[in-house]
Every structure is written in structure tokens, then in C-alpha cells.
Amino acid sequence: MKTIRTISVFIFLILLSVSVQAQKEVFKGDTIWYKTNKMLVVVVSSDFASQGPGTQAIKEKIARLQKILDQMAIAEPAEDEQVVIEFRSYSDDPYVENFKDLSLRKEKKDSKQLIVFGDGTIFDKDDGQYCLSLIFNDIQLQIFVNQLSDLAYFSSDSFNKETARGTAALCDKLGKVYRKTPVQAWVDLRQEEPEVFIQRPRNKPLDMLLLKGGIGAGWAKNTFVTSIDLNFGLGFARRGILRNIFSMEWNMMYDFSNSTNNQLFDVNHFVSLGWEHNFSNPGEKDKWYGFSFGYLAKRNNDFFEENTYRFSMNKRINDTFTVKPELYFNDFFKNVYPGIRLSVAF
């Protein structure tokens, strides 16, 4: 009977995992367009004020990449085409950035990509025959130029001074206030004085109440266990990205041990307090890690000792599945034993 129940639970989890649909990526972070007479630069970062295009780290990366491009033969695009050069690097080591990190493709420019501000101002978002797209650990950068030789201007002192003035003008226009929503702005540097256009964010602050249920399955004391879970939490966002969640969870745990013989509905109840943090950078998928500490609030069989506590580490695979390595102990760290659970949220 217990074998049948165990197999049934596994089949249910597999069917549930098949039915989960992948979510579309959500655009996150500050997005600033810097328009000069020679290029258009788009910067996506967690903080535009400290991660502008004129930072020394970015200039060094562009200079190294330009040396690589100078050794390559890139066909000139037609008038209705754009060459997209994409470079991805998740390491700060300059010696691992090589040709393998580059991808080149031609795209037809059969439509206009425009940004429209609330006052009716319109700007072209993909101006240029060449688009250099760079994706690093903590920042995304796009540079649009008509000639690859124009990239040299990016590393010049003139460009550094222009973008620094533009960033300062944007900061002045926003004022010194705590921002919970990301900044979207166009900084026009083609005149003596920077002209700043700020887009009102479409998304409101994401602080929220979270209420979700789910089921779990795992292993504790060399025994297969399952659970029904109810979670209540408070989520706090910063600049359009949900960053921290503080929660309370109630777990009704059923074990497949001899302690449940002839006691099918006798389950043990755990109450836990937890914290999770999203470590992702702008443009990346969410990276949630956390921990919780729980107590055996209601004991209905002999599987767990009295005064049992549970410490869990949480790693979200996606919005549905969470892996939880655990430690159980009773009283003051007596009878310590490990466990692991897979939690499935609805």
C-alpha cells in the first residue's frame, strides 16, 4: 500500500512539472539612452549613476573588444541591413575574452524601433548600421554606430566628459530621492548643454503581499516524506526588481514510515519563518536563495521527536520548484539528521 502511494506521489510531481510553462523574460533595471553626434549608447544597469558608459572598466572592455574586431573581416551591410555584433562575458578575467565569445549576424531593418515619451517626444532606438551588444555580469551595453571606426570615440576623453555631464543632468532632474522604480531616460548630448527626457515607469513599486500554496516531497530519516504547504509572505522591491521576501510557512508533513500504519491522516505540522533574497543582476533571470527556521508545532505520530526543529536552505529553480536541503534536530541539537525536499508552488 505504501509503495503504491509513493509511486502515485512521484507520478503526480512529474505530470505537474511537465505542465509548467516557462515564463517570458522580464526587462529590469535602469535604462539610459545616450545620444551623441557619432553614436547612440544604451546602458542597462542596477544603478545608472554609478554604472555609466564612461567608467574605466567599461572603457577597457570596449578597447579590448575593438582590438579583436580590427583583426576580423566584417562585410559592410546594405542600407536596409544592420550588423549585430554580440559579446557575452561572465568573467572579469581579460584572458578569457576571445573570438569564442563573439557572435555576428545581419538583420533586416524593415521596421523602425522608436521610444515615445509621455510628452510625445519620439526617438529612434536603433540608429546605425552596426550594433555592438555587450552583456556582462552586472551591466548590458548597446552601441549603435554607422562605421566601426567610430567606436574609438567611445574611449575618448570627450565622450567621457559628455556622458558624465549627461548623467549629472539626469541626477539633477530626478533629485535626491529614494527610487523604488527603475529609471528610463533619453539623454541628448548633441548640444552644448545636455537635454534630458525621463519616461514615467509603467510598472509601479512591486512591494506586495504573497499568498501561495503547494506540495512537497523529499527524504528525511531514511524515509520518503510528503507535505502540503501554505506560505504567507511580504515582498519588497527595489527599482522594479523584487529583492527580499519575508515569509511564514505552515507544512503538514506525512511520512511513509511504520509510524503511520493505520493512521493515514495523522500528519505532523511544522511552522517556519523564512527569508529569501534575489541575487540577480538587471536583465538576468531571478536568482533566489534563502533560509528558514521551523518548529514542530503539532506532533501526531512518533516519526519526529518532541521539540523538533528544522533548519532549511532554499534554492529556487524557477517560480514553481524550490530545492530545500534541511537539518532536523530536537532540543538543543540532539539527534541531528539531514533531509531534503522538493517544493512545488501553485
Side-chain angles (χ1 to χ4, degrees):
M1 181 64 180
K2 289 187 179 293
T3 302
I4 295 175
R5 280 183 286 177
T6 303
I7 294 174
S8 300
V9 171
F10 273 120
I11 292 175
F12 177 74
L13 289 173
I14 291 172
L15 291 175
L16 186 61
S17 67
V18 172
S19 67
V20 174
Q21 300 295 321
Q23 292 191 340
K24 294 181 179 179
E25 292 186 4
V26 178
F27 193 74
K28 305 168 184 174
D30 294 345
T31 307
I32 314 298
W33 290 265
Y34 294 89
K35 178 62 178 176
T36 73
N37 289 317
K38 291 189 175 183
M39 62 179 59
L40 172 64
V41 179
V42 187
V43 183
V44 182
S45 66
S46 58
D47 182 13
F48 77 89
S50 62
Q51 295 176 300
T55 58
Q56 188 62 31
I58 295 297
K59 291 170 65 176
E60 290 176 357
K61 291 177 186 292
I62 295 295
R64 288 200 300 267
L65 184 57
Q66 190 172 13
K67 290 181 180 180
I68 296 175
L69 295 177
D70 289 343
Q71 303 174 41
M72 302 176 66
I74 301 176
E76 193 170 315
E79 290 186 4
D80 62 342
E81 292 180 333
Q82 184 178 71
V83 174
V84 179
I85 305 168
E86 188 174 272
F87 174 73
R88 292 176 178 266
S89 174
Y90 295 99
S91 171
D92 292 327
D93 185 352
Y95 299 104
V96 302
E97 298 174 356
N98 51 43
F99 292 106
K100 294 181 180 179
D101 300 310
L102 282 173
S103 66
L104 287 82
R105 64 181 184 275
K106 281 186 179 181
E107 295 182 351
K108 283 286 185 181
K109 296 179 64 175
D110 53 3
S111 62
K112 277 284 187 182
Q113 298 291 324
L114 304 174
I115 177 172
V116 182
F117 285 80
D119 61 357
T121 308
I122 300 175
F123 295 104
D124 191 345
K125 291 171 60 176
D126 59 354
D127 184 28
Q129 295 292 98
Y130 297 87
C131 172
L132 187 63
S133 178
L134 301 99
I135 302 173
F136 302 109
N137 283 327
D138 55 352
I139 192 171
Q140 294 185 20
L141 196 71
Q142 283 185 311
I143 304 173
F144 296 89
V145 293
N146 286 318
Q147 300 292 333
L148 285 177
S149 57
D150 291 340
L151 284 175
Y153 180 68
F154 188 93
S155 302
S156 67
D157 291 336
S158 297
F159 177 78
N160 189 28
K161 293 177 181 178
E162 281 187 336
T163 53
R165 288 202 315 270
T167 301
L170 176 56
C171 290
D172 291 341
K173 192 165 185 176
L174 288 170
K176 295 182 179 181
V177 296
Y178 177 80
R179 299 189 309 275
K180 294 186 70 64
T181 55
V183 177
Q184 297 183 17
W186 181 283
V187 182
D188 196 333
L189 302 171
R190 290 173 289 184
Q191 308 297 328
E192 286 190 12
E193 294 297 326
E195 193 171 5
V196 176
F197 301 84
I198 299 175
Q199 182 74 290
R200 291 185 177 275
R202 289 173 294 178
N203 55 316
K204 300 298 182 182
L206 294 176
D207 294 351
M208 62 182 71
L209 294 175
L210 302 168
L211 181 63
K212 58 185 178 181
I215 60 173
W219 202 258
K221 297 180 70 172
N222 294 321
T223 302
F224 182 64
V225 295
T226 59
S227 66
I228 297 175
D229 309 322
L230 181 63
N231 185 290
F232 174 79
L234 296 173
F236 297 93
R238 177 172 171 78
R239 297 185 187 176
I241 304 177
L242 193 62
R243 283 298 186 189
N244 293 285
I245 295 177
F246 300 89
S247 62
M248 182 177 70
E249 187 172 68
W250 188 281
N251 309 115
M252 293 176 285
M253 296 188 65
Y254 178 80
D255 61 271
F256 288 76
S257 67
N258 293 330
S259 63
T260 56
N261 284 338
N262 302 319
Q263 301 177 42
L264 182 59
F265 297 105
D266 282 354
V267 296
N268 293 298
H269 299 248
F270 276 88
V271 177
S272 303
L273 296 177
W275 170 76
E276 287 183 285
H277 181 74
N278 181 7
F279 290 89
S280 66
N281 292 312
E284 296 180 344
K285 293 181 179 180
D286 289 341
K287 298 177 181 178
W288 286 97
Y289 295 87
F291 64 87
S292 63
F293 188 77
Y295 176 70
L296 181 61
K298 188 175 181 181
R299 177 174 177 263
N300 287 323
N301 59 39
D302 297 330
F303 185 72
F304 293 108
E305 300 290 338
E306 293 183 356
N307 299 320
T308 294
Y309 296 87
R310 180 181 66 197
F311 178 77
S312 304
M313 299 294 293
N314 305 332
K315 167 63 175 77
R316 283 200 209 178
I317 301 173
N318 52 39
D319 287 340
T320 302
F321 295 99
T322 301
V323 176
K324 299 182 177 183
E326 299 174 326
L327 282 178
Y328 293 86
F329 58 91
N330 60 283
D331 296 323
F332 292 98
F333 292 95
K334 292 181 180 179
N335 303 316
V336 179
Y337 50 89
I340 189 168
R341 280 191 302 142
L342 175 67
S343 178
V344 183
F346 300 141

